[in-house]
Amino acid sequence: MGTWEAVRRGRLLIALLVAAAAIPPASSAAATTLPKKAKASSPPQLLSELPVHAGRLVPSSVVFPIYGDVYPHGLYYVVMNIGDPSKPYFLDVDTGSDLTWLQCDAPCVSCSKGPHPWYRPKKSKLVPNGDPLCAALYSGIAQDENSDQCDYEIQYEDRGSSLGVLIYDAFSLRLTNSSRAGPILAFGCGYDQQSAVQDASAPTDGVLGLGTGKVSVLSQLSNQGVTKNVVGHCLSGKGGGYLFFGDDLVPSSRMTWAPMSRIGSRNYYSPGPAKLYWGTQSLGAKQIEVVLDTGSTFSYFEAHPYQAFLSAVKSDLSKTPLMEEFDDSALPVCWKGQKPFKSVSDVKKYFKTLALDFVKGKRAVLELSPENYLIITKHGNACLGILNGGEAGLRNLNVIGDISLQDHMIVYDNEKQHIGWVRAACNRLPKSGTSSL
């Protein structure tokens, strides 16, 4: 993926499609290293020091420090140690897609220079075409029955994509119960990446897909008994935060919960339809379908709710000293004051709370303070971090991205099929927290 120099280049990594990939012809470098007839083997067994009770593994949790911010970097990422011997890789945290992938020296057809050397695959670790995870990846899309490897192509809403093959390798983890695990997980070896922003370098080595699908790292860890099928994150507005797998860190009280809702055939995390409120003012009778996506830097509303929201904001600001600023390239809608702003605290008195009332939950309201939808740019302007999804290519979908998830602990509990949130101090790691090795 490209370098996120300006915040308006913020990524939108909600997955559009995972499909059978057209593998380069035999004359290409990628095909000579990973030939279509390469014999793929079954995955090795779980390598672990996990405690066993009554003959079964006892699930634990694992915590990863999160790095990055909304502005100016435009992404949050974690460090994952992969391979044997393990090597560190920076992965973009993405709850809007299932597939985890690394830029892969197979050799690489189209890759960007990343923080670390490209991952080097081995033929013996190819996931066979008949593997259940390969079938889950295709989700009913016709496969190439003549191939002995699992080829993929994943496309994202921001016009980025990754083309490659599925492979197995070890992930080195230290869990909260002080045990260690080296589960063998399937992920993408991406040898052809395309991005809407073509730069010489990339801030991460790949994407950590945490969606609800069977191919996600979270689902695989749960199936192997390493952790429960629960993932949570806490993104700090000051930068950083933490990510966790398993339920050991889930608060026993204070959480607001809403049942998970299915949106078509997509493996998105959705608390279901919501009503929008600007302060106490309803922004329309129509409910909107909402997805929570850490792979999106900003939030996106469909054209109608976006215009209703923007009109309400501008109506309020017409009675204030703030003036609209049209020359800040960071984001489409910005305001300036008599002097440059230093933080959202300088302007928050002019803005209201934006609330999403999820109708399927019991008093399930997600309140977004000005810090959850405004940024202060390097020019000292206040810019709106909720964008027009129609202009970004979104249809019948509203995305709550990083900016609006900041300073909340968000929990996606696939065991109980509900999503929870609570305001939290995300700049401090939990006391019981550890990280990958």
Side-chain angles (χ1 to χ4, degrees):
M1 312 302 281
T3 301
W4 317 107
E5 297 174 346
V7 77
R8 75 176 303 152
R9 298 181 183 180
R11 77 260 192 271
L12 182 56
L13 296 185
I14 194 163
L16 279 173
L17 175 70
V18 178
I23 300 301
S27 60
S28 76
T32 57
T33 300
L34 295 175
K36 291 178 74 82
K37 295 299 180 181
K39 185 65 176 178
S41 60
S42 299
Q45 296 298 308
L46 170 70
L47 306 174
S48 72
E49 301 171 5
L50 291 172
V52 177
H53 178 70
R56 299 183 65 184
L57 291 175
V58 179
S60 183
S61 296
V62 58
V63 184
F64 305 89
I66 284 179
Y67 307 92
D69 54 40
V70 168
Y71 184 83
H73 297 99
L75 82 166
Y76 288 94
Y77 66 92
V78 295
V79 181
M80 284 279 179
N81 291 281
I82 303 171
D84 186 15
S86 66
K87 296 179 180 179
Y89 297 96
F90 293 171
L91 298 184
D92 196 336
V93 179
D94 184 19
T95 58
S97 64
D98 295 334
L99 184 66
T100 292
W101 58 264
L102 291 174
Q103 292 203 106
C104 191
D105 189 6
C108 207
V109 174
S110 177
C111 295
S112 299
K113 179 178 173 58
H116 301 96
W118 299 330
Y119 175 85
R120 295 294 299 271
K122 297 179 181 178
K123 293 180 184 179
S124 62
K125 295 183 178 181
L126 285 170
V127 173
N129 192 39
D131 191 290
L133 285 178
C134 187
L137 181 68
Y138 286 114
S139 299
I141 299 174
Q143 305 176 48
D144 181 358
E145 296 180 355
N146 297 319
S147 175
D148 287 330
Q149 65 191 33
C150 185
D151 310 316
Y152 77 86
E153 180 177 10
I154 184 168
Q155 300 172 6
Y156 300 101
E157 286 281 6
D158 63 2
R159 299 190 300 279
S161 66
S162 175
L163 176 75
V165 296
L166 226 58
I167 58 173
Y168 283 111
D169 213 337
F171 282 59
S172 298
L173 306 173
R174 184 185 293 120
L175 295 106
T176 55
N177 61 10
S178 301
S179 61
R180 298 188 179 193
I184 308 300
L185 307 177
F187 61 96
C189 166
Y191 53 75
D192 188 350
Q193 277 64 245
Q194 302 298 324
S195 172
V197 182
Q198 297 296 334
D199 293 309
S201 61
T204 61
D205 301 295
V207 169
L208 178 63
L210 297 174
T212 65
K214 293 180 180 179
V215 77
S216 78
V217 165
L218 179 67
S219 296
Q220 294 183 64
L221 288 173
S222 173
N223 290 337
Q224 295 187 29
V226 180
T227 69
K228 289 188 177 179
N229 200 344
V230 177
V231 59
H233 56 74
C234 206
L235 308 177
S236 174
K238 298 177 181 178
Y242 58 90
L243 170 77
F244 61 88
F245 302 157
D247 64 355
D248 290 345
L249 274 69
V250 178
S252 58
S253 62
R254 301 186 300 115
M255 295 286 292
T256 297
W257 295 99
M260 285 187 182
S261 183
R262 190 79 177 177
I263 298 180
S265 60
R266 305 286 179 86
N267 295 327
Y268 297 151
Y269 287 115
S270 172
K275 296 179 180 178
L276 277 178
Y277 293 89
W278 175 244
T280 58
Q281 174 190 351
S282 172
L283 293 181
K286 184 180 178 182
Q287 299 169 7
I288 63 173
E289 292 290 347
V290 174
V291 168
L292 307 186
D293 177 27
T294 59
S296 298
T297 306
F298 302 110
S299 295
Y300 296 82
F301 289 164
E302 294 176 80
H304 182 72
Y306 174 77
Q307 292 299 334
F309 167 61
L310 186 60
S311 295
V313 174
K314 288 186 174 182
S315 176
D316 281 0
L317 294 185
S318 66
K319 310 176 187 70
T320 74
L322 299 188
M323 299 290 291
E324 195 160 355
E325 172 57 61
F326 299 98
D327 294 329
D328 197 321
S329 62
L331 284 168
V333 180
C334 300
W335 295 271
K336 64 182 178 181
Q338 293 179 345
K339 60 181 180 179
F341 304 122
K342 294 181 179 179
S343 72
V344 174
S345 298
D346 294 340
V347 295
K348 64 183 301 180
K349 64 183 178 182
Y350 302 118
F351 294 85
K352 296 176 180 176
T353 296
L354 176 66
L356 291 89
D357 184 2
F358 294 99
V359 299
K360 291 186 177 180
K362 184 178 181 181
R363 294 190 295 276
V365 179
L366 176 61
E367 294 186 339
L368 305 181
S369 65
E371 289 86 352
N372 291 122
Y373 59 81
L374 293 174
I375 65 163
I376 303 300
T377 71
K378 63 182 180 180
H379 302 295
N381 299 315
C383 293
L384 198 60
I386 296 178
L387 309 182
N388 189 333
E391 294 179 356
L394 292 172
R395 296 290 180 270
N396 303 316
L397 197 62
N398 301 272
V399 176
I400 302 302
D402 292 342
I403 189 169
S404 301
L405 299 174
Q406 290 179 126
D407 298 316
H408 289 83
M409 177 188 283
I410 311 289
V411 177
Y412 312 87
D413 189 334
N414 294 292
E415 306 266 341
K416 298 179 180 177
Q417 286 292 292
H418 60 187
I419 297 173
W421 58 88
V422 64
R423 282 215 167 260
C426 298
N427 57 320
R428 296 194 301 269
L429 281 173
K431 292 181 180 178
S432 61
T434 57
S435 65
S436 60
L437 297 174

